């Protein structure tokens, strides 16, 4: 109970700091509207009701980017240091963000203030992050014999991610116990393999690249389907969506209906709805519709983000990217979308930056409508 209270307190502090930054730099004209949207954000709050490191990591990355934005606006290096601390700690929970670290370092170096002295001072950003990654490197060195900056399950995730395309030519399923992966590992390493060991990880990454080279068209199909999954199931819906664990009535039909919708088989979906004997209790009806409500909210936000980005770019072209906050938000959102499309889409990881989607969408629509403080 105490741990959950601490987690919720950190989430509240993060939102308050976001509010202060918005007011300090006059990012939003009517902040009351944005506050209402946050309160209305069911996926975000459901995400933080779980006791897990993902919540802590989510708050840290939000704080890190807000502090980095504060540095760009104020040119005070204390904010760059604090940003690095938040990002460095976060990396111990989200090692898949290591390439975002490289992008951020480049962006910091190629942004004002310039000059030899400032370049030296900016070096504190990557140095602090790398120092804070020392515990992770010690852990990976003990596990693999090599001090790594990332985890060793990347090959596993990339490989089974190919299975997110239904009925793919590779015969891969998006499951940890995928038979194609198990067979490939067994042939290479024998029966004592572990997919998250260092050598197995390298092997699976190479196998992933090999399969793409052998059938690039299928991989393109996979990427398009993954983007469809992202658009139709962008954010986490909480434990309310764990129908199997809750012994939910008609759970098989609901999951089949969900799969048909993801595959745009609406005729079959309609037929399933009409032919199913629905035996839901009042409690289950509430659970189902609240889950549906939460999912629809997420879809609306993601689609609104895409529309606002397209409209704003059409109106402002590359002038859109002169705004530091927009660049920073696009950087992290684009990175997360790339993970979903090219690796493996999991709504829970996209929800880590839900607030960034909300803020950027609001800012883009505001900019498009030319609303100024």
């Amino acid at each position: 109970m105490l741990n959950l209270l601490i987690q919720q307190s950190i989430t509240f502090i993060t939102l308050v700091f976001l509010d202060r930054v918005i007011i300090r730099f006059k990012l939003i004209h009517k902040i009351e509207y944005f506050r209402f949207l946050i309160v209305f954000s069911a996926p975000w709050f459901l995400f933080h009701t779980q006791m897990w490191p993902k919540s802590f990591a989510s708050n840290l990355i939000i704080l890190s980017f807000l502090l980095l934005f504060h540095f760009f606006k104020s040119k005070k290096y204390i904010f760059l240091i604090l940003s690095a601390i938040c990002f460095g700690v976060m990396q111990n929970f989200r090692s898949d963000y290591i390439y975002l670290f490289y992008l951020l370092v480049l962006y910091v170096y190629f942004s004002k203030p310039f000059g030899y002295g400032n370049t030296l001072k900016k070096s504190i950003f990557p140095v602090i992050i790398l120092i804070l990654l020392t515990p992770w490197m010690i852990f990976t060195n003990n596990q693999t014999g090599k001090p790594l900056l990332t985890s060793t399950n990347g090959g596993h995730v990339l490989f089974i991610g190919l299975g997110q395309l239904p009925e793919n030519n590779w015969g891969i399923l998006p499951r940890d116990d995928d038979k194609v992966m198990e067979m490939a590992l067994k042939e290479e390493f024998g029966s004592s393999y572990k997919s998250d060991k260092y050598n197995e990880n390298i092997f699976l990454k190479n196998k992933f690249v090999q399969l793409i080279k052998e059938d690039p068209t299928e991989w393109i199909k996979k990427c398009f389907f993954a983007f469809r999954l992202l658009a139709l199931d962008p954010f986490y819906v909480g434990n309310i969506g764990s129908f199997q664990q809750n012994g939910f009535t008609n759970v098989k039909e609901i999951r089949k209906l969900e799969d048909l919708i993801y595959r745009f088989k609406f005729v079959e979906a309609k037929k399933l709805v009409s032919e199913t004997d629905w035996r839901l209790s009042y409690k289950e009806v509430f659970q189902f519709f609240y889950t549906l409500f939460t999912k629809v909210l997420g879809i609306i936000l993601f689609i609104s983000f895409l529309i606002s980005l397209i409209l704003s770019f059409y109106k402002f072209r590359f002038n859109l990217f002169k705004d530091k906050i927009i660049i920073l938000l696009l950087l992290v959102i684009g990175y997360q979308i790339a993970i979903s499309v090219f690796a493996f889409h999991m709504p829970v990881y996209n929800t880590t930056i839900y607030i960034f989607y909300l803020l950027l969408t609001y800012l883009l629509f505001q900019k498009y409508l030319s609303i100024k403080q």
Side-chain angles (χ1 to χ4, degrees), residues 286-331:
F286 173 78
Q287 181 182 347
F288 175 79
F289 279 104
Y290 192 75
T291 302
L292 186 62
F293 165 76
T294 305
K295 183 162 287 194
V296 169
L297 270 183
I299 293 172
I300 290 173
L301 175 57
F302 187 78
I303 298 301
S304 298
F305 156 69
L306 294 177
I307 292 173
S308 64
L309 181 60
I310 293 169
L311 290 176
S312 297
F313 184 75
Y314 177 78
K315 183 173 183 179
F316 298 102
R317 295 294 192 271
F318 290 100
N319 289 326
L320 179 67
F321 307 121
K322 291 182 177 180
D323 195 328
K324 291 289 185 186
I325 189 67
I326 288 178
I327 293 177
L328 287 172
L329 293 173
L330 276 175
L331 194 62

Side-chain angles (χ1 to χ4, degrees), residues 159 178-190 193 203-204 207:
F159 192 95
D178 173 61
K179 300 303 179 185
V180 178
M181 180 179 67
E182 288 182 351
M183 188 180 301
L185 287 168
K186 194 171 184 178
E187 287 179 359
E188 184 72 17
F189 299 99
Y193 69 85
F203 169 77
L204 287 174
K207 194 71 175 176

Side-chain angles (χ1 to χ4, degrees), residues 56 60 84-94 129 132-133:
F56 188 50
L60 283 174
I85 292 171
C86 290
F87 198 89
V89 176
M90 181 276 298
Q91 279 268 251
N92 286 273
F93 300 97
R94 289 294 304 272
I129 292 174
L132 290 170
L133 276 171

Side-chain angles (χ1 to χ4, degrees), residues 47-61:
F47 175 82
H48 287 284
T49 58
Q50 303 300 302
M51 190 62 225
W52 52 12
K54 296 182 184 69
S55 172
F56 188 50
S58 173
N59 287 317
L60 283 174
I61 193 169

